[in-house]
Amino acid sequence: MITGCARLCRSRNMGVSAISYRWLVYQVADSVATIRLNRPENLNALHDELLREIFLALGEAERDVSVRVLVVTGEGGAFCSGQDLKVFAGGVTEEEVHRHLDDFYHPVVRKFRSIPKPIVAAIPGVAAGAGMSLALAADLRIAAQTARFSQAFVRIGLVPDSGSTYFLPRLIGPARALEMAWLGDGIDAETAKSWGLVNWVVAADELPASTKELTARLAEGPPLAVAMIKQAIYRGMDETLDDTLEFEKRLQGRAVVTADHQTGLKAFFAKTRPVFTGR
Ligand code: T3D
């Protein structure tokens, strides 16, 4: 379990709040929290401190009622190159790897799923190994044309972890998942799009603007319904049709009594844009 607290520094100006951690940059603006991995010298490789800070930043965004959408991205042209291989260059035991995954990777992956807000991975460049797992754990992926995706694990004699064997076959099917995991070759952004791995591909210099446009739309949605949709879609993937129909019924019962539903109805008939408040 990740514990402890990163040293945070807060600043506020012109309605933008920023929290700077040591290994990532955290910013909140216009209802969107952006978590930018910041180790560009090694393509944002993950070490324990960075993983701990990602977990803390996700929690910060989850708790902040002004945040409706999260973006995870990388500094310096890469998304994330996975585990920092220098850390394990000296070798590790089976028990150490178990503990490491349990303590640092798994809490982050679970957090992506449990936060009741949309999480967008904005992928400027390479996403490899567990870095690709993090991109897959996000709800939506928008990639620059310069993005590449690699299940690099096999190239160093490892197996995919941090959720890749869960997410990847669900997104692209088992045969393509095996192709990526066995061969370890990178695929480019257009291939990733055609396989269903990413939702959108945009020119590299348009990634920030396109991400902003997408997150602005998501942030305009009714937060309670948006949260319930996330819960229902992922639950539905692992449940029977009958269980899913029951679950949808329960969620719809909750959605139909929200003020946002009334707001949406009024806006529909008035032919105006609804402003949802999350009530
Ligand atoms: O217990 C556990 O937690 C085990 C968990 C394991 C999870 C994993 O993620 S295992 C998989 C780890 N990741 C990899 O194996 C990927 C390693 N990197 C690469 O294969 C390539 O770097 C890329 C395909 C990602 C990108 O290639 P390229 O040619 O664009 O860049 P580069 O020149 O290889 O890398 C630039 C620099 O980043 C370079 O450093 P240098 O030479 O300029 O000083 C390179 O060593 C460094 N770097 C890249 N990836 C990592 C890294 N340094 C440490 N760890 C990395 N993962």
Side-chain angles (χ1 to χ4, degrees), residues 22-39:
R22 182 164 176 199
W23 303 106
L24 59 81
V25 177
Y26 179 95
Q27 276 190 318
V28 178
D30 301 328
S31 307
V32 179
T34 299
I35 297 168
R36 185 180 301 277
L37 314 189
N38 192 22
R39 299 186 75 206

Side-chain angles (χ1 to χ4, degrees), residues 39-46 48 51 78 80-88 92-94 96-102 104-105 126-133 148-156 158-162 184 186:
R39 299 186 75 206
E41 67 282 1
N42 51 25
L43 314 179
N44 303 315
L46 300 162
D48 293 359
L51 285 160
C80 175
S81 60
Q83 170 63 37
D84 186 332
L85 296 176
K86 282 196 181 131
V87 173
F88 289 130
V92 283
T93 67
E94 193 173 338
E96 282 169 337
V97 166
H98 289 178
R99 206 163 44 241
H100 191 240
L101 290 169
D102 276 342
F104 290 94
Y105 280 97
V126 73
M132 180 169 167
S133 303
R148 283 177 293 151
F149 298 84
S150 169
Q151 288 282 300
F153 307 90
V154 73
R155 298 167 84 107
I156 52 169
L158 295 183
V159 296
D161 64 16
S162 309

Side-chain angles (χ1 to χ4, degrees), residues 48-218:
D48 293 359
E49 278 288 296
L50 174 54
L51 285 160
R52 189 173 66 122
E53 290 189 6
I54 296 170
F55 181 81
L56 292 171
L58 289 168
E60 184 88 23
E62 181 179 15
R63 286 188 302 276
D64 186 340
V65 290
S66 79
V67 170
R68 289 191 177 188
V69 181
L70 285 72
V71 173
V72 179
T73 190
E75 183 59 55
F79 181 74
C80 175
S81 60
Q83 170 63 37
D84 186 332
L85 296 176
K86 282 196 181 131
V87 173
F88 289 130
V92 283
T93 67
E94 193 173 338
E95 289 73 25
E96 282 169 337
V97 166
H98 289 178
R99 206 163 44 241
H100 191 240
L101 290 169
D102 276 342
D103 289 353
F104 290 94
Y105 280 97
H106 296 176
V108 169
V109 173
R110 291 195 177 100
K111 198 83 171 153
F112 270 76
R113 275 297 163 95
S114 66
I115 292 178
K117 304 177 183 183
I119 304 181
V120 176
I123 303 152
V126 73
M132 180 169 167
S133 303
L134 292 191
L136 299 178
D139 303 311
L140 300 172
R141 280 157 291 282
I142 180 167
Q145 275 162 352
T146 43
R148 283 177 293 151
F149 298 84
S150 169
Q151 288 282 300
F153 307 90
V154 73
R155 298 167 84 107
I156 52 169
L158 295 183
V159 296
D161 64 16
S162 309
S164 266
T165 65
Y166 179 88
F167 300 122
L168 202 52
R170 282 171 168 76
L171 282 167
I172 65 176
R176 281 174 170 153
L178 283 168
E179 178 185 331
M180 289 195 79
W182 272 336
L183 302 181
D185 293 338
I187 60 166
D188 62 21
E190 292 297 346
T191 305
K193 168 88 167 66
S194 71
W195 285 7
L197 196 83
V198 300
N199 300 80
W200 301 275
V201 177
V202 298
D205 60 357
E206 286 171 14
L207 184 64
S210 299
T211 303
K212 199 168 177 195
E213 197 181 324
L214 169 66
T215 54
R217 281 200 60 195
L218 291 167

